[in-house]
Amino acid sequence: MKFTLSWLKQHLETTATLDQIIEALTRIGLEVEGVENPGEKLAAFKIAKVLSAERHPQADKLQILSVDAGNGPLQVVCGAPNARAGLVGVFGAPGAYVPGLDVTLKLASIRGVESNGMMCSTRELELGEDHDGIIELPADAPIGTPYPDYAGLTDPVIDVAITPNRQDCMGVRGIARDLAAAGLGTLTPLTIPTPPVIPADAGTQGAAGADGELDRRPRSNNEARTGDGPNVATLDPEGCPAFFAQTVTGVRNGESPAWMRRSLLAIGQKPISALVDITNYLMIDLGRPLHVYDRAKLSGGLVARKAQDGEQVVALNGKTYTLDATMTVIADDAAVHDIGGIMGGEHSGVSAETTDVLIECAYFDPDHIARTGQKLTLTSDARSRFERGVDPAFLEDGLAIATALVVHICGGTASDVTRSGEPPLEPRVIHYDPRLSADLGGLHVAPERQARTLLSLGFTIGAITSADAFSDALFSTIEGKWPVTIPTWRRDVDGPADLVEEVVRIEGIDTIPSTPLPRMPGVAKPTATPEQKLERRARRAAAARGLDEAVTWSFLSDAEAAPFGGGAWTLANPISEDLKVMRPSLLPGLLAATGRNLKRGQQSVRLFEIGRRYLADAERATLGVVLAGDRRPRGWREGKAASFDAYDAKAEALALLAASGAPVDNLQVMGEAGDAWHPGQSGTLRLGPKTVLASFGMLHPSVLKAFDLDGAVAAVEVYLDAIPPKRASGFARPAYTPPALQAVRRDFAFLVPAALATDTLVRAVKGADKVAIVSVRVFDVFTGAGVEDGHKSVAVEIVLQPTAKSFTDEEIKAIADKVVAAAAKQGASLRV
């Protein structure tokens, strides 16, 4: 929500400085996102007078001007058709930045003639669309004065973030009301023109006073009307409970007044025409969206009704929308002209030829507006206000103000008002105990001060209707809980806690005293859950192994989720088509991040993330790892750079599982991990045949292609939720005692079938004697000369640890025989 300081002061009588206003806005919950002065970028442009104009000797369409900007004449080459001696305009000297051209002026030679800057058009200064000629100012404009000072462009623009619950602050007046309640001034009365209104005597001059600003004075009551109001009705009381309208005949739809164009331009709104600008101005000024139809383009009357399935409308943005029976539209006898409360239709929009208009001021149900906007993926300024909830009591007055502006800017004669339906105006009363300010808000505020705050925000307390009507005598008549009536523009307030929030935010959240929570004596009990502790251990282990933590979106596109089996859950109203599927795996996000890093020149990418996978049955805590690029850079000793392989992924998986408390000594390596993984270069780590603790290996080439990745990529997914929790024994672990006797190592080379997993052999050998054999390690795998086809040679090192006494030769031989026998059961034979 943007507005200028002068615009705010039309509703707020205040002596507060800009800094005080900004500080107060943030303090009362209206966070200021930024403040800019549009005149700063035009500070280098000055008012200048053209002293003489001569034809350029080398170009028929160029002139050589002598320009005085207060420091003596300068020669300027200009191609504007209206450039002439005596003209007063806007001049930019060398060094000035021209925002409309995105260039910085410098001394130049144009067709052999030196030019010292330029005379500017409104488009070049981004003050309008006119670029047929340079700006022409009145002859008495002060030469040498900075143009922003003369044109009133030094008005600061304030950008405020409005939370969804503050529909009342979607207009400048609502923000002014809050500031007045906070003590920064007085809210000016809003004068409602008394219909019928007087047509303007001079077209576009009737709505502006001598200072060029909006004249809010009351109007007299002596104009003849055109008769009955327009033929409008609401046939959809749920979607559009109230539909008010008024016509104005004989209008002239030209350019809006300078004060209105300046206000709209300052906040980034493009002026279009007087009729359109009026509706945009009132929407921002008072938070009241309206719509103006060209009556010549309508067939019969207008009705608010449900759309028919398949009906279409071309909106003002030029796009065609297909409607369904849940949506509210405004239509005549022939077609739909408006997606109710969201966007008008292109066909019935006003133009320069419009002479008769119908002004619509309706109330649309917020829930209906939100659902329609979501279905059509259509946003607009009107939707953002209607779905928050505009003031249902402001239809009559809003229409009167709009009609008055139309008549006084565009001329014409207004009709009577047609009112169809009833807006929801049932009063809502909350019984409020002022002690809740301290109990719920943590801030003690005197009851009288709380009452004045609520009254200044528009609430009423019993018979006290405003802060001006407050008196100690009247306040003393209220006993017990206060009957607080909620203003019609505060749809978000529905309970005592909301009134506490109003009181506390106006007092200032920063005034709430810091009170430490009570603490039980003694050592604090741990609060982290076992799951949180597990994730902490896994995160620290991953970081300690040199992996970089990433945090990616929990939502993916369909294309990103497809290689991993697709998502089980899809958002009905995503913020983007690329973020609508809840991720079935952490790897897509990590792969996207890997691609971005590699494309920016990173040679080695080692990323991990701890998050949730969203499966059909539940959320699953998971640790994902992606290894891409160079595992080892090239070097004079190492030779060529080495890439990551499946064994690197397995090593990471085992290390992370060990750090997470998984029984890695009991894990089995089994089969490929799935379609997303490279067959033969991937596997799973399981605790038993069914419990999968991790998947690891190289990713399938089709997955890499889908993510536009070159080269091989290794990955790991550790399923943290599958790791069995450690059982508490209730006893301390025994003290560690190093072995008193030296270990014995023996090497065995087995000839095994090529299809036999080495892990199976290791497991069998280790189980040959579970007491004496403390570890088994593969140190060589060989195929080739001396090994028959279909087989491989696997060499293992076995560590034997004696306990009470050293092994004898006979005992070692007996253990060796057990090892050979255990290997033989797996199809292995001792290689000789």
Side-chain angles (χ1 to χ4, degrees):
M1 174 71 187
K2 290 185 177 182
F3 54 91
T4 63
L5 181 60
S6 64
W7 198 338
L8 176 67
K9 288 185 176 181
Q10 290 181 24
H11 295 279
L12 182 70
E13 293 182 3
T14 181
T15 58
T17 65
L18 175 64
D19 290 340
Q20 290 173 328
I21 290 173
I22 293 170
E23 189 275 333
L25 285 170
T26 300
R27 187 180 69 245
I28 62 179
L30 301 174
E31 181 182 357
V32 176
E33 293 194 318
V35 179
E36 63 178 11
N37 189 336
E40 289 180 352
K41 63 182 180 182
L42 302 179
F45 295 88
K46 296 183 178 182
I47 298 176
K49 184 174 183 179
V50 179
L51 303 177
S52 64
E54 299 178 0
R55 181 179 173 182
H56 193 293
Q58 302 297 328
D60 293 339
K61 294 184 178 180
L62 297 179
Q63 296 187 75
I64 301 174
L65 309 181
S66 177
V67 175
D68 181 15
N71 296 317
L74 292 171
Q75 181 172 280
V76 175
V77 177
C78 181
N82 63 333
R84 62 187 183 277
L87 179 144
V88 177
V90 181
F91 170 72
Y97 173 73
V98 185
L101 299 178
D102 191 25
V103 298
T104 299
L105 297 176
K106 58 184 179 180
L107 188 65
S109 176
I110 303 177
R111 296 289 184 93
V113 176
E114 185 180 87
S115 181
N116 298 273
M118 69 180 294
M119 299 293 288
C120 303
S121 69
T122 55
R123 176 184 285 186
E124 288 161 346
L125 298 185
E126 292 187 339
L127 299 176
E129 293 301 314
D130 183 16
H131 65 289
D132 293 334
I134 56 179
I135 297 173
E136 293 193 37
L137 300 178
D140 59 353
I143 306 303
T145 301
Y147 179 64
D149 295 343
Y150 171 80
L153 299 176
T154 55
D155 195 4
V157 177
I158 304 170
D159 187 2
V160 176
I162 307 298
T163 53
N165 63 314
R166 293 305 308 277
Q167 68 278 356
D168 59 308
C169 288
M170 292 298 287
V172 179
R173 185 166 182 82
I175 294 173
R177 183 188 296 112
D178 266 20
L179 288 171
L184 259 73
T186 304
L187 187 68
T188 59
L190 183 63
T191 302
I192 309 300
T194 305
V197 292
I198 302 175
D201 296 330
T204 61
Q205 301 302 314
D211 59 356
E213 295 299 331
L214 177 61
D215 186 356
R216 298 183 183 273
R217 294 173 297 178
R219 307 295 177 183
S220 60
N221 228 354
N222 58 2
E223 182 205 1
R225 305 190 185 194
T226 60
D228 295 336
N231 179 18
V232 300
T234 177
L235 305 180
D236 180 14
E238 292 183 353
C240 180
F243 187 176
F244 290 12
Q246 193 169 12
T247 61
V248 181
T249 58
V251 301
R252 297 180 298 278
N253 187 25
E255 191 177 58
S256 54
W259 62 266
M260 182 175 288
R261 296 197 310 275
R262 186 167 62 245
S263 296
L264 294 175
L265 279 169
I267 62 171
Q269 289 273 357
K270 177 183 176 181
I272 298 173
S273 67
L275 292 172
V276 176
D277 293 350
I278 288 169
T279 60
N280 287 336
Y281 181 86
L282 289 180
M283 178 177 62
I284 297 162
D285 186 51
L286 302 174
R288 162 36 76 178
L290 304 105
H291 191 64
V292 180
Y293 299 88
D294 187 335
R295 291 182 65 194
K297 300 176 181 178
L298 302 177
S299 299
L302 286 179
V303 295
R305 61 169 174 82
K306 292 293 186 186
Q308 300 175 8
D309 286 330
E311 256 186 324
Q312 292 187 327
V313 61
V314 180
L316 287 172
N317 61 6
K319 297 181 180 180
T320 300
Y321 294 91
T322 302
L323 313 173
D324 64 40
T326 66
M327 302 175 183
T328 302
V329 297
I330 308 297
D332 61 8
D333 296 342
V336 172
H337 292 288
D338 192 329
I339 304 172
I342 298 180
M343 188 171 288
E346 189 176 65
H347 173 70
S348 57
V350 295
S351 65
E353 291 73 35
T354 298
T355 57
D356 297 336
V357 297
L358 183 149
I359 306 172
E360 165 224 308
C361 185
Y363 178 82
F364 296 96
D365 177 71
D367 294 338
H368 282 70
I369 292 293
R371 287 194 292 269
T372 298
Q374 291 167 3
K375 286 184 178 181
L376 299 177
T377 62
L378 176 58
T379 59
S380 67
D381 290 333
R383 174 191 166 184
S384 67
R385 288 163 173 79
F386 276 120
E387 71 179 350
R388 282 173 163 87
V390 300
D391 184 3
F394 197 65
L395 272 73
E396 189 88 36
D397 294 345
L399 183 59
I401 294 172
T403 303
L405 278 174
V406 169
V407 170
H408 285 277
I409 292 176
C410 304
T413 305
S415 72
D416 286 337
V417 177
T418 299
R419 305 167 184 84
S420 178
E422 292 290 337
L425 296 176
E426 183 178 351
R428 295 180 295 138
V429 178
I430 296 174
H431 294 280
Y432 175 65
D433 185 346
R435 291 175 296 184
L436 290 175
S437 172
D439 295 343
L440 293 182
L443 186 64
H444 178 77
V445 182
E448 294 81 1
R449 186 170 178 84
Q450 291 190 52
R452 289 183 181 276
T453 295
L454 293 175
L455 291 167
S456 62
L457 289 171
F459 297 85
T460 61
I461 304 174
I464 310 175
T465 58
S466 68
D468 294 336
F470 181 89
S471 67
D472 292 337
L474 188 58
F475 182 64
S476 64
T477 63
I478 302 175
E479 299 180 354
K481 293 184 177 181
W482 303 348
V484 179
T485 302
I486 304 169
T488 53
W489 58 81
R490 292 304 300 271
R491 177 172 171 260
D492 58 304
V493 177
D494 61 5
D498 296 318
L499 298 180
V500 172
E501 181 183 355
E502 295 302 297
V503 171
V504 170
R505 74 179 181 84
I506 295 300
E507 288 294 317
I509 295 177
D510 56 327
T511 62
I512 299 176
S514 298
T515 304
L517 295 174
R519 177 174 176 174
M520 298 295 292
V523 179
K525 295 181 179 180
T527 57
T529 64
E531 293 77 12
Q532 290 172 327
K533 293 179 180 178
L534 173 61
E535 291 185 12
R536 288 177 187 174
R537 292 197 301 270
R539 179 175 284 108
R540 289 171 180 167
R545 292 185 61 81
L547 303 177
D548 298 313
E549 185 171 12
V551 180
T552 66
W553 290 102
S554 296
F555 309 104
L556 311 170
S557 65
D558 279 323
E560 290 174 322
F564 296 88
W569 302 95
T570 301
L571 300 183
N573 182 34
I575 61 175
S576 166
E577 280 296 304
D578 292 333
L579 297 171
K580 73 175 186 178
V581 178
M582 301 186 75
R583 63 185 179 194
S585 167
L586 269 65
L587 297 183
L590 289 173
L591 289 174
T594 297
R596 289 192 293 270
N597 279 274
L598 291 174
K599 289 173 181 176
R600 285 165 175 77
Q602 188 70 24
Q603 296 298 313
S604 181
V605 177
R606 306 164 188 245
L607 298 180
F608 83 94
E609 179 177 13
I610 294 179
R612 300 291 184 271
R613 294 177 299 137
Y614 300 93
L615 307 182
D617 58 342
E619 298 179 19
R620 303 291 184 185
T622 307
L623 189 159
V625 176
V626 168
L627 307 171
D630 296 339
R631 175 174 62 85
R632 184 192 69 227
R634 62 182 180 176
W636 68 272
R637 294 184 61 186
E638 296 83 1
K640 293 182 178 180
S643 300
F644 292 101
D645 57 26
Y647 296 107
D648 295 313
K650 181 182 179 183
E652 295 296 337
L654 288 171
L656 294 172
L657 284 170
S660 302
V664 292
D665 292 338
N666 300 328
L667 296 181
Q668 296 175 269
V669 179
M670 301 180 67
E672 285 78 15
D675 294 340
W677 303 83
H678 197 302
Q681 298 184 35
S682 61
T684 58
L685 292 171
R686 305 190 182 210
L687 193 61
K690 295 184 179 179
T691 305
V692 180
L693 300 191
S695 299
F696 69 90
M698 308 304 293
L699 292 174
H700 198 283
S702 63
V703 174
L704 303 183
K705 183 178 180 181
F707 287 87
D708 193 24
L709 290 170
D710 296 326
V713 175
V716 177
E717 271 199 323
V718 177
Y719 310 121
L720 299 176
D721 62 307
I723 298 175
K726 288 186 176 181
R727 295 182 180 179
S729 63
F731 299 94
R733 290 183 296 177
Y736 172 70
T737 304
L741 301 174
Q742 187 172 352
V744 178
R745 285 174 168 80
R746 290 291 184 267
D747 294 343
F748 295 81
F750 293 102
L751 197 63
V752 302
L756 180 67
T758 304
D759 179 76
T760 303
L761 177 63
V762 170
R763 192 178 298 278
V765 169
K766 190 172 182 180
D769 190 326
K770 296 182 179 180
V771 177
I773 300 174
V774 294
S775 69
V776 179
R777 182 177 66 89
V778 177
F779 66 87
D780 183 57
V781 178
F782 174 73
T783 58
V787 177
E788 59 184 277
D789 292 341
H791 287 72
K792 60 185 175 182
S793 173
V794 179
V796 298
E797 178 191 64
I798 299 174
V799 179
L800 308 176
Q801 179 61 57
T803 55
K805 63 182 183 69
S806 298
F807 290 121
T808 64
D809 290 342
E810 290 77 12
E811 288 172 335
I812 292 177
K813 184 179 184 306
I815 295 172
D817 291 340
K818 290 180 183 179
V819 168
V820 174
K825 291 180 179 180
Q826 304 300 326
S829 60
L830 191 64
R831 186 180 177 192
V832 294

